[in-house]
Amino acid sequence: MTDSKYFTTTKKGEIFELKAELNSDKKEKKKEAVKKVIASMTVGKDVSALFPDVVNCMQTDNLELKKLVYLYLMNYAKSQPDMAIMAVNTFVKDCEDPNPLIRALAVRTMGCIRVDKITEYLCEPLRKCLKDEDPYVRKTAAVCVAKLHDINAQLVEDQGFLDTLKDLISDSNPMVVANAVAALSEIAESHPNSNLLDLNPQTINKLLTALNECTEWGQIFILDCLANYTPRDDRESQSICERVTPRLSHANSAVVLSAVKVLMKFMEMLPKDLDYYGTLLKKLAPPLVTLLSAEPELQYVALRNINLIVQRRPEILKHEMKVFFVKYNDPIYVKLEKLDIMIRLASQANIAQVLAELKEYATEVDVDFVRKAVRAIGRCAIKVEQSAERCVSTLLDLIQTKVNYVVQEAIVVIKDIFRKYPNKYESVIATLCENLDSLDEPEARAAMIWIVGEYAERIDNADELLESFLEGFHDESTQVQLQLLTAIVKLFLKKPTETQELVQQVLSLATQDSDNPDLRDRGYIYWRLLSTDPVAAKEVVLAEKPLISEETDLIEPTLLEELICHIGTLASVYHKPPSAFVEGSRGVQHKRLPGSAGSGESVDSPDPGSAAGVTEAPPAVIPSQGDLLGDLLNLDLTPPTTTGPPPAPSSGMQLGAMDLLGGGLDSLMGDESEPLGGDLGGSAAMGAGFGAPPAAMPASFSAPVSGGLDDLFDLGGGVGMPMGAYSPPKTVWLPAMKAKGLEITGTFARRAGVIQMEMTLTNKAMSVMTDFAIQFNRNSFGLAPAGPLQVLTPLSPNQSIEVSLPLSTVGPVMKMEPLTNLQVAVKNNIDVFYFSSQYPISMLFVEDGKMERQVFLATWKDISNDNEAQFQIKDCHLSSDAASNKLQGSNVFTIAKRTVEGQDMLYQSMKLTNGIWVLAELRVQAGNPNFTVSLKCRAPEVSQCVFQSYEAMLKN
Amino acid sequence: MIGGLFIYNHKGEVLISRVYRDDIGRNAVDAFRVNVIHARQQVRSPVTNIARTSFFHVKRSNIWLAVVTKQNVNATMVFEFLYKMCDVMTAYFGKISEENVKNNFVLIYELLDEILDFGYPQNSETGALKTFITQQGIKSQTKEEQSQITSQVTGQIGWRREGIKYRRNELFLDVLESVNLLMSPQGQVLSAHVSGRVVMKSYLSGMPECKFGMNDKIVIDKQGKGGSSEEGGKSGKQSIAIDDCTFHQCVRLSKFDSERSISFIPPDGDYELMRYRTTKDIILPFRVIPLVREVGRTKLEVKVVIKSNFKSSLLAQKIEVRIPTPLNTSGVQLICMKGKAKYKASENAIVWKIKRMAGMKESQISAEIELLPTNDKKKWARPPISMNFEVPFAPSGLKVRYLKVFEPKLNYSDHDVIKWVRYIGRSGIYETRC
């Protein structure tokens, strides 16, 4: 029997035929027809028109047919919600079936149908299935809770399913435990502050027991969950490690890597002098090596992870260099990754072997791979001083091959070698010069020019060489032009007599004929330097250069720590934090290694603590008022329960107001606060943190604002975002003068519900800048970077880079003066720099800031007139509608409009990230460019800032 | 978790599409086709991120299997799952081909419904799945049968069902090793390792408890005595150092960790009990000695000697030596002492085949390669000479010491079980640079 025939029908009128067949009396024919429908669905044809006919086939004893119909339902129920109801009865009936396989099938499928009306009916059967006598049904029901939570989180909480799910962790069947853990972990991820996965030594013990008995997949769920736990002390940490290590011998690589993750994390807490610590290190190497004999795709994932592990704990694999040697038949993605690790592991002990290998690779065919191999040779020279000479001679051999891209790559790395070991290998310059003509890539040309300029005094025909480049000056890329300019100036300073003409030529090319401001600026500086004070010029241009670092491409330490917590996952494959590629609230939370946590921020495991009590308070019901606005509302026929944005709890406002007014947080945080930048030392702070148990946080410390806030975020999440949010133009925050050549200009923007700090970093210094990191001082609204600063490539001189840093509002809070002041510290390899900037408060207006009219009215009345502030906006030529639209783009929502005597009154609301509501009345008189804004808010401090934003938003 | 799974043919047409999560839309199917299957460049990574959606793929012959997700999933798990899915499909309907996938699409959907729930892998053991997912549809089971199925699928021993009976209790044990070598032209071993597998076929009644023992150095040293005299082995060594091993999920890992004993209740039929890796004291069955001389710009002289390095009473089989030739080869003259040699222009290689060769022998091939003059600047990369062979011993030196079977409930003892042990050593990537 073959099913492929179902794929072949393509003729017209097919739907009608299928309809007839589906309604046929013959069972066989029906089944055939459903199969055809599924086949059409698979290839992407729209068969939703057959919905009622397919659903009619659902009532059958034939399980295969039933499964097919269910498959269809899962695909199309959402597009036909009313029809889908027809299926409910069958589901409910199936949930009572004596056959556990059918009960499970029903509950499993029902959870996949994302129709509100169906989910209502799902609750009762689900409750029964969670307590079913058969483990197969229970394990299916456990996952179903996660499904339901994804559709309607509130419902799951109200129905108490979360507690039942927690109980399942103690189930007698290991697979039920594993699925319950998986479901709870997923639900907890979307509620970072909830205490859902209450991991304590008892539950951990249960999990460890189940670990020995469940399926390979279950073991992965449990290990991934264990990795989120922070042991109380090193003893507990060790005992967990001991029970996890046997997993390293599992045949499933995912079990192995998840176990590695747990061990890598918990190891942080073990004292280094402990015998067990050494044993554990030794145990980690063999399984990691074994991963390399898996299928190539797994090898790739393993290698990306090993790259992280090697950076964090180089000692684990230091003797295993050979296994990373590239095999001729490895896929290219495996080859490139192996090469990276070889460089990381290169040391004096193995350098001879490594070099021999690299030389071999440099003769392969894949261009990317060859280039990387050549570059690797250069990096070895820089990393292992003893090998530099051998590396250089290897590179020279490669240059002799005359293969174009090999030569260019070699020249680029030789430049770095010259930088690292000045005055040592200049004898090779002659060979390099022979290849001048073959260089066609800017990077290689620039490197070659740099070499000629740097060693102009030893190259007899340096002037001729540089002159030859000068011919096509305007066709060169900026990189080459800048390098050429500098090189000729160097040459002039070294051999002034013969080269005066040349230097004049290049200066006029750079300053008069070029459109590039960087080039012009540099040209003018040289020109003036040379004309005013040649001695000073010599000091500046021929100054001694700072040394370059040994290790390159290292991942920034805080990011590395976070990635170690994500071993085995996509984040570890991309080498990016989950927030960089996961949408929504999931994964935004940053994980950190236990030993180093607790140094000033509470991102790790915020405790809902005091906030929980406040947010759970029921929203106050405000009776409607007999007013004009109230009348408008009464015309509205939609029942309040199903309207779009849920009514905001008025208590939220009080919470926000309290935070701002009281400043009581400061006293709570007293001990934890550190001078700004204290944590920027990165690795140093981390090192100190090892071995020490994480500092216990006072429960009240973890930013009470965040509790309420995240809930609000969740509500606002899916709503379509207007894109036209106002963002001020970039201004200079940190002038290069103050920051040893680093210039930062920037602005703030709110995009898709996320506050972004958008910066342009420009390197105006002469040396490469690396290792960027950023940190904020405590501020009024708890703004904090939601991820590390993503400057992955070193910033070379005269280069600028656009960085966009997503911000969260769950950081520590302290009232600032002015309110929207933000103090920032930026670190790079040179120093730490401080600056402050002010963000427009409109960044903090959240997407669900539209208040219900009734609530608006009541709130307006409720706030005392003392809290009202009135401002004038002058010279604003907008109609009231245009103004309203403009403001809406920045989440200022117009709730109602009233026209009295030619004057438009707009009633508007907005909500800040910390739950403070601001209500506004905007009066616009036709023909009068002066607007009047009245603001009412329970925290009157914000009024001034809001007004300023109003002005900026309207006039922009 | 896994958001969806798609199967495509080589043209990029969807054969199977199953979506588990709401955040995956239909356009994901097309995104993968356009950006990966139809991409002009060679695939540079098995993981692709397209518009914040991640795709994992593996290829089996002409068929692409892709998993799609928008979350930070466990990437290792996804690939393990994909391999497992391939295994399950192969177990059900043989080779994964377009025709087979189309012919079994209903079955595949049924499997996908069972193996993945909301993107979480569930039980993927073919043995268990076959008890209730059949191409013929479920036959109405009795109540006992049903609960037996569910307890097996969810239970601690998900890989074996109760009540298996055989008239003859029999066990087949194969030690399969692949020996990998990378050697420099001068004969220096750059890297060498053996990756081995212990594959079993068990036809045993009941729920037998098995214990497997081999000449693992750690165990032997612990016992304080060497293996018995007849286990001397070819190289005379009595125990071997295993770098690392991994086990089928039936093996009790905690017991291995504490006592280093391998005990388990085996699945029924074929399965892989363990994999291991060794790097020390490997017997390299063959040595390849290359000699390449460039005579001017248009001629190349190649001489390759192979030496067999094992007991002369043993025979190696299926020996094949592959000598790469430059792309601009115009003609080749070959002289070999043994076997047959041919120049295969389409593969840019000389392939030399020898059916059988005893230990401690050597053989030689010489070739004269004529080259077309080219102005290609790029030098010939000289890929390594590779070898294939099969030998009837384990190059790692591994020996099976015992495999004991206990089934307390049924009346057969360890002695009644007929056991077969076989050793096969094959070449993995066995290369000599020239």
Side-chain angles (χ1 to χ4, degrees):
Chain A
M1 171 186 118
T2 68
D3 287 347
S4 55
K5 59 174 185 277
Y6 302 117
F7 283 90
T8 50
T9 50
T10 49
K11 51 184 185 287
K12 273 191 176 175
E14 184 193 356
I15 297 277
F16 289 104
E17 255 172 55
L18 281 173
K19 209 176 180 90
E21 285 174 38
L22 284 170
N23 291 316
S24 150
D25 294 334
K26 287 181 197 140
K27 274 189 180 170
E28 254 328 284
K29 203 156 194 184
K30 253 188 186 174
K31 199 159 114 187
E32 297 288 286
V34 177
K35 282 189 184 179
K36 278 185 207 163
V37 173
I38 301 288
S40 309
M41 191 177 86
T42 298
V43 295
K45 273 183 230 158
D46 184 12
V47 283
S48 59
L50 296 167
F51 199 89
D53 310 283
V54 177
V55 172
N56 272 335
C57 303
M58 193 168 157
Q59 294 238 8
T60 169
D61 298 333
N62 184 319
L63 202 61
E64 194 188 4
L65 181 58
K66 190 168 242 161
K67 284 186 180 176
L68 289 174
V69 175
Y70 280 179
L71 188 65
Y72 179 90
L73 262 176
M74 286 186 254
N75 264 298
Y76 287 113
K78 229 165 73 178
S79 57
Q80 313 246 355
D82 296 331
M83 298 283 230
I85 292 297
M86 290 163 48
V88 165
N89 260 335
T90 320
F91 279 128
V92 176
K93 213 176 91 209
D94 280 358
C95 286
E96 307 274 341
D97 197 281
N99 185 341
L101 293 170
I102 297 207
R103 291 203 296 278
L105 177 65
V107 79
R108 183 166 68 212
T109 313
M110 222 167 152
C112 295
I113 297 179
R114 306 178 62 93
V115 174
D116 279 340
K117 285 179 193 158
I118 291 212
T119 41
E120 282 168 33
Y121 289 99
L122 175 60
C123 292
E124 276 322 301
L126 178 58
R127 198 186 314 281
K128 267 187 214 152
C129 288
L130 279 167
K131 304 225 158 97
D132 199 286
E133 53 169 19
D134 194 294
Y136 183 77
V137 181
R138 289 202 302 277
K139 72 108 183 160
T140 312
V143 176
C144 190
V145 175
K147 291 179 190 168
L148 188 58
H149 186 270
D150 195 37
I151 305 170
N152 189 341
Q154 196 57 46
L155 187 68
V156 171
E157 281 170 43
D158 295 346
Q159 297 276 339
F161 285 140
L162 294 181
D163 293 322
T164 323
L165 202 52
K166 277 190 211 166
D167 293 342
L168 287 184
I169 290 191
S170 316
D171 199 281
S172 57
N173 183 294
M175 195 161 179
V176 178
V177 178
N179 277 3
V181 166
L184 276 173
S185 305
E186 175 163 347
I187 295 171
E189 220 176 280
S190 55
H191 284 281
N193 297 329
S194 70
N195 222 2
L196 247 187
L197 254 177
D198 178 26
L199 294 176
N200 53 43
Q202 285 78 40
T203 33
I204 292 292
N205 200 27
K206 280 176 200 156
L207 294 185
L208 286 168
T209 312
L211 186 61
N212 287 325
E213 296 167 350
C214 62
T215 65
E216 44 194 330
W217 312 114
Q219 297 186 16
I220 300 168
F221 307 152
I222 292 179
L223 286 168
D224 284 350
C225 173
L226 270 181
N228 291 325
Y229 176 64
T230 312
R232 286 163 308 169
D233 51 32
D234 52 333
R235 295 245 313 272
E236 191 189 4
S237 186
Q238 178 175 348
S239 85
I240 296 177
C241 287
E242 277 166 357
R243 292 177 71 178
V244 167
T245 31
R247 298 298 121 199
L248 295 174
S249 306
H250 202 286
N252 187 314
S253 312
V255 175
V256 176
L257 258 186
S258 291
V260 169
K261 166 163 62 189
V262 174
L263 296 174
M264 281 293 286
K265 209 177 154 188
F266 289 9
M267 242 165 116
E268 300 283 344
M269 293 186 66
L270 299 177
K272 280 200 168 153
D273 48 356
L274 197 71
D275 284 346
Y276 182 69
Y277 179 85
T279 322
L280 198 53
L281 273 185
K282 269 193 215 118
K283 276 194 175 169
L284 277 172
L288 287 173
V289 173
T290 299
L291 291 176
L292 298 183
S293 35
E295 290 84 348
E297 291 89 2
L298 273 178
Q299 279 187 49
Y300 173 73
V301 176
L303 285 164
R304 294 291 286 174
N305 278 287
I306 289 173
N307 199 327
L308 299 172
I309 293 168
V310 165
Q311 286 185 58
R312 182 77 192 162
R313 298 200 175 274
E315 62 271 32
I316 293 179
L317 287 167
K318 66 180 172 202
H319 299 302
E320 302 288 350
M321 172 61 93
K322 276 188 177 181
V323 296
F324 298 103
F325 284 178
V326 171
K327 296 191 188 114
Y328 190 73
N329 293 323
D330 281 337
I332 182 67
Y333 50 82
V334 169
K335 284 186 176 175
L336 293 172
E337 293 307 318
K338 280 188 174 172
L339 204 48
D340 259 342
I341 294 167
M342 281 174 68
I343 300 163
R344 294 215 192 285
L345 292 178
S347 67
Q348 204 182 333
N350 56 27
I351 194 73
Q353 268 186 323
V354 173
L355 264 183
E357 282 295 307
L358 291 175
K359 195 176 171 184
E360 199 69 41
Y361 305 159
T363 60
E364 283 227 26
V365 273
D366 189 284
V367 177
D368 285 346
F369 180 61
V370 171
R371 281 174 177 272
K372 203 164 181 175
V374 175
R375 208 160 268 224
I377 297 175
R379 277 165 68 181
C380 285
I382 291 165
K383 195 173 172 190
V384 186
E385 185 160 3
Q386 294 80 358
S387 74
E389 194 151 348
R390 231 173 328 166
C391 294
V392 172
S393 77
T394 309
L395 287 169
L396 283 180
D397 287 351
L398 290 173
I399 288 177
Q400 297 305 337
T401 62
K402 304 275 178 202
V403 178
N404 188 283
Y405 54 85
V406 174
V407 174
Q408 309 211 41
E409 207 63 42
I411 287 182
V412 173
V413 293
I414 286 180
K415 184 198 86 175
D416 288 341
I417 296 176
F418 283 172
R419 279 289 303 277
K420 171 85 181 175
Y421 310 109
N423 305 319
K424 222 167 159 187
Y425 300 110
E426 285 69 25
S427 51
V428 308
I429 291 175
T431 324
L432 301 186
C433 290
E434 287 165 20
N435 293 288
L436 265 184
D437 301 334
S438 64
L439 308 180
D440 51 13
E441 289 162 24
E443 204 184 352
R445 286 172 84 84
M448 190 64 221
I449 293 168
W450 181 88
I451 293 171
V452 174
E454 191 65 20
Y455 297 100
E457 68 272 31
R458 309 191 197 181
I459 306 171
D460 295 334
N461 59 344
D463 48 345
E464 281 170 39
L465 293 176
L466 291 176
E467 200 171 357
S468 69
F469 279 104
L470 209 52
E471 282 162 18
F473 188 78
H474 289 298
D475 302 329
E476 299 283 3
S477 73
T478 316
Q479 193 185 9
V480 180
Q481 289 175 334
L482 287 167
Q483 208 54 261
L484 194 53
L485 173 61
T486 307
I488 291 178
V489 173
K490 280 183 194 164
L491 172 71
F492 172 72
L493 290 168
K494 287 172 178 173
K495 299 180 182 171
T497 45
E498 313 115 73
T499 57
Q500 199 152 9
E501 205 175 303
L502 191 61
V503 83
Q504 297 246 314
Q505 203 183 338
V506 77
L507 285 175
S508 82
L509 276 172
T511 54
Q512 284 158 26
D513 302 340
S514 170
D515 299 333
N516 185 322
D518 286 346
L519 188 63
R520 272 204 314 266
D521 284 356
R522 197 187 282 196
Y524 279 124
I525 289 174
Y526 284 145
W527 203 325
R528 282 175 199 150
L529 261 177
L530 292 173
S531 55
T532 48
D533 189 351
V535 181
K538 219 166 188 162
E539 270 171 36
V540 172
V541 180
L542 303 179
E544 200 170 308
K545 279 160 279 298
L547 283 182
I548 55 176
S549 72
E550 291 179 4
E551 291 282 354
T552 42
D553 299 346
L554 281 183
I555 293 175
E556 195 257 329
T558 45
L559 176 61
L560 181 62
E561 273 191 48
E562 190 182 348
L563 292 179
I564 291 284
C565 299
H566 287 293
I567 283 179
T569 69
L570 262 181
S572 72
V573 175
Y574 293 146
H575 288 186
K576 282 181 189 160
S579 54
F581 59 91
V582 175
E583 278 164 7
S585 59
R586 272 201 190 111
V588 172
Q589 204 186 5
H590 290 271
K591 295 188 179 178
R592 294 178 72 175
L593 292 176
S596 51
S599 50
E601 303 144 82
S602 65
V603 269
D604 203 357
S605 55
D607 186 323
S610 55
V614 188
T615 40
E616 277 163 21
V621 180
I622 301 164
S624 63
Q625 312 278 317
D627 194 297
L628 190 58
L629 270 173
D631 286 341
L632 279 173
L633 188 90
N634 288 341
L635 294 175
D636 215 335
L637 290 174
T638 1
T641 40
T642 51
T643 43
S650 59
S651 53
M653 280 182 269
Q654 260 134 18
L655 166 71
M658 224 169 54
D659 285 342
L660 262 180
L661 293 170
L665 271 173
D666 286 354
S667 56
L668 289 174
M669 293 192 292
D671 295 344
E672 301 290 331
S673 64
E674 267 186 33
L676 175 66
D679 200 24
L680 281 175
S683 53
M686 239 162 18
F690 287 160
M697 308 263 180
S700 49
F701 163 58
S702 22
V705 215
S706 62
L709 221 118
D710 273 65
D711 286 354
L712 294 174
F713 261 155
D714 284 350
L715 298 176
V719 188
M721 314 289 174
M723 292 311 288
Y726 163 70
S727 159
K730 281 191 179 175
T731 48
V732 177
W733 284 343
L734 183 68
M737 300 261 291
K738 282 193 180 169
K740 304 190 180 162
L742 174 67
E743 186 188 79
I744 301 181
T745 61
T747 181
F748 295 87
R750 187 179 182 88
R751 295 188 205 289
V754 179
I755 307 170
Q756 302 274 1
M757 182 164 170
E758 299 187 331
M759 289 174 284
T760 309
L761 308 181
T762 310
N763 181 354
K764 302 212 162 170
M766 298 296 282
S767 59
V768 176
M769 294 179 179
T770 54
D771 305 328
F772 285 94
I774 193 162
Q775 187 159 357
F776 296 173
N777 195 2
R778 289 182 289 158
N779 53 71
S780 315
F781 294 94
L783 285 177
L789 194 59
Q790 297 280 352
V791 186
L792 298 179
T793 47
L795 193 59
S796 28
N798 281 307
Q799 195 192 346
S800 36
I801 184 165
E802 301 276 349
V803 194
S804 177
L805 178 72
L807 305 184
S808 70
T809 49
V810 293
V813 175
M814 181 176 78
K815 194 180 168 189
M816 298 296 292
E817 197 55 52
L819 207 57
T820 54
N821 197 15
L822 181 67
Q823 296 181 336
V824 183
V826 169
K827 185 199 85 141
N828 63 10
N829 56 334
I830 300 166
D831 206 339
V832 181
F833 312 106
Y834 303 93
F835 63 87
S836 68
S837 63
Q838 281 191 40
Y839 46 94
I841 203 165
S842 57
M843 293 307 115
L844 304 172
F845 296 169
V846 295
E847 276 68 22
D848 62 341
K850 184 162 187 168
M851 210 180 233
E852 291 231 37
R853 292 174 203 190
Q854 220 165 352
V855 182
F856 180 89
L857 200 65
T859 317
W860 185 272
K861 290 198 165 169
D862 200 37
I863 300 177
S864 87
N865 282 340
D866 297 345
N867 281 4
E868 184 170 349
Q870 211 171 64
F871 303 95
Q872 289 278 329
I873 299 175
K874 296 210 163 86
D875 286 315
C876 188
H877 298 278
L878 287 171
S879 72
S880 62
D881 285 344
S884 165
N885 280 340
K886 215 159 192 181
L887 292 170
Q888 171 113 22
S890 298
N891 296 336
V892 177
F893 299 94
T894 304
I895 293 163
K897 181 178 157 183
R898 199 152 62 121
T899 312
V900 178
E901 296 166 359
Q903 184 169 262
D904 287 337
M905 324 250 273
L906 299 176
Y907 293 95
Q908 299 173 319
S909 74
M910 60 223 93
K911 188 168 80 169
L912 302 184
T913 47
N914 59 357
I916 295 184
W917 286 91
V918 181
L919 313 185
E921 182 199 51
L922 183 68
R923 291 183 202 201
V924 183
Q925 190 140 29
N928 183 352
N930 295 349
F931 293 5
T932 311
V933 197
S934 306
L935 297 172
K936 261 193 170 185
C937 176
R938 288 184 207 268
E941 292 93 316
V942 301
S943 298
Q944 181 68 34
C945 302
V946 172
F947 160 66
Q948 283 163 2
S949 296
Y950 251 90
E951 193 159 41
M953 288 183 282
L954 286 171
K955 291 195 174 166
N956 171 43
Chain B
M1 275 309 115
I2 293 174
L5 188 140
F6 307 133
I7 302 181
Y8 300 86
N9 65 9
H10 67 287
K11 283 184 264 178
E13 293 162 354
V14 206
L15 305 178
I16 296 285
S17 124
R18 177 74 163 91
V19 173
Y20 294 94
R21 295 274 174 153
D22 202 36
D23 53 4
I24 303 300
R26 180 83 203 173
N27 52 359
V29 181
D30 303 322
F32 183 76
R33 179 196 9 255
V34 172
N35 289 290
V36 180
I37 302 183
H38 290 169
R40 289 220 189 105
Q41 283 174 331
Q42 183 197 2
V43 177
R44 303 299 268 196
S45 161
V47 185
T48 325
N49 193 321
I50 306 162
R52 290 197 151 221
T53 309
S54 299
F55 294 84
F56 301 76
H57 72 264
V58 298
K59 239 184 128 178
R60 289 290 178 268
S61 61
N62 270 332
I63 299 295
W64 298 74
L65 286 96
V67 155
V68 51
T69 181
K70 283 206 164 190
Q71 297 173 24
N72 183 30
V73 295
N74 188 324
T76 336
M77 185 188 80
V78 171
F79 281 122
E80 282 284 1
F81 168 77
L82 278 171
Y83 303 141
K84 231 352 171 315
M85 185 67 209
C86 292
D87 290 349
V88 171
M89 290 199 286
T90 315
Y92 266 98
F93 52 76
K95 192 173 167 271
I96 298 175
S97 63
E98 179 171 354
E99 205 191 342
N100 278 347
V101 170
K102 278 187 170 173
N103 280 339
N104 295 283
F105 84 98
V106 173
L107 170 74
I108 296 176
Y109 275 127
E110 217 173 309
L111 286 170
L112 283 176
D113 195 43
E114 191 57 47
I115 303 180
L116 276 182
D117 190 4
F118 202 38
Y120 288 106
Q122 304 291 306
N123 197 315
S124 53
E125 286 298 314
T126 325
L129 288 170
K130 277 194 171 168
T131 58
F132 68 108
I133 295 185
T134 56
Q135 270 164 297
Q136 282 73 44
I138 289 195
K139 294 177 196 77
S140 59
Q141 299 118 332
T142 64
K143 201 150 190 219
E144 293 76 56
E145 278 171 342
Q146 284 162 6
S147 70
Q148 204 182 324
I149 288 170
T150 57
S151 77
Q152 192 203 335
V153 173
T154 60
Q156 299 178 15
I157 305 168
W159 54 86
R160 189 181 181 91
R161 64 190 165 88
E162 301 250 9
I164 299 172
K165 276 209 177 67
Y166 288 101
R167 226 162 4 126
R168 221 157 80 121
N169 289 300
E170 216 169 356
L171 250 181
F172 297 86
L173 198 153
D174 285 349
V175 176
L176 305 175
E177 295 196 338
S178 71
V179 50
N180 298 276
L181 169 76
L182 183 62
M183 196 176 251
S184 76
Q186 293 75 35
Q188 185 196 0
V189 177
L190 295 173
S191 75
H193 74 273
V194 167
S195 56
R197 303 187 298 146
V198 177
V199 177
M200 289 181 116
K201 222 180 267 182
S202 60
Y203 303 110
L204 299 171
S205 313
M207 293 297 253
E209 179 73 44
C210 298
K211 213 171 160 188
F212 175 69
M214 54 190 177
N215 57 341
D216 177 359
K217 194 161 186 287
I218 297 177
V219 177
I220 307 257
D221 289 355
K222 228 192 229 169
Q223 290 168 344
K225 53 175 189 199
S228 46
S229 55
E230 74 269 11
E231 289 176 346
K234 281 155 278 289
S235 61
K237 63 185 164 158
Q238 290 165 340
S239 62
I240 61 161
I242 293 175
D243 286 28
D244 188 35
C245 43
T246 59
F247 297 98
H248 185 270
Q249 59 168 326
C250 65
V251 176
R252 295 186 186 87
L253 294 180
S254 36
K255 209 153 182 196
F256 178 74
D257 196 56
S258 55
E259 303 163 22
R260 225 176 154 87
S261 76
I262 303 168
S263 62
F264 54 98
I265 295 173
D268 194 40
D270 288 344
Y271 62 99
E272 186 181 290
L273 179 68
M274 72 178 280
R275 282 183 185 224
Y276 57 91
R277 193 166 46 80
T278 71
T279 44
K280 289 197 190 70
D281 304 321
I282 293 169
I283 309 159
L284 295 170
F286 284 95
R287 163 95 205 269
V288 177
I289 305 154
L291 203 78
V292 181
R293 210 160 64 91
E294 288 179 40
V295 188
R297 285 182 63 95
T298 56
K299 203 167 144 192
L300 212 57
E301 281 181 11
V302 179
K303 200 172 100 178
V304 176
V305 179
I306 59 168
K307 284 186 181 169
S308 58
N309 174 36
F310 45 90
K311 258 197 207 165
S312 53
S313 58
L314 295 173
L315 273 181
Q317 294 185 5
K318 301 176 190 167
I319 302 147
E320 185 186 291
V321 182
R322 186 171 277 266
I323 306 160
T325 56
L327 298 174
N328 55 338
T329 301
S330 60
V332 176
Q333 267 107 52
L334 293 164
I335 308 162
C336 59
M337 290 157 48
K338 218 173 167 223
K340 280 180 190 161
K342 233 188 207 164
Y343 166 61
K344 295 197 171 166
S346 58
E347 294 165 38
N348 289 311
I350 298 165
V351 180
W352 176 26
K353 286 183 180 171
I354 303 170
K355 274 197 185 127
R356 258 175 233 95
M357 185 164 170
M360 309 315 271
K361 291 262 176 1
E362 70 171 72
S363 190
Q364 181 184 324
I365 184 171
S366 358
E368 268 189 32
I369 303 172
E370 307 274 346
L371 302 175
L372 292 170
T374 59
N375 42 15
D376 193 359
K377 262 194 201 162
K378 219 158 60 180
K379 232 179 64 177
W380 177 47
R382 281 206 189 179
I385 296 174
S386 58
M387 240 196 119
N388 288 317
F389 54 79
E390 201 179 293
V391 289
F393 59 90
S396 69
L398 182 131
K399 289 270 153 198
V400 176
R401 290 174 57 222
Y402 56 82
L403 179 72
K404 293 177 195 154
V405 181
F406 311 95
E407 169 48 296
K409 284 190 199 143
L410 299 174
N411 55 349
Y412 71 92
S413 74
D414 185 38
H415 297 289
D416 304 330
V417 180
I418 305 157
K419 300 168 194 169
W420 307 87
V421 180
R422 180 165 65 156
Y423 298 90
I424 300 172
R426 293 202 181 97
S427 52
I429 294 167
Y430 203 86
E431 294 177 338
T432 307
R433 289 181 178 156
C434 58

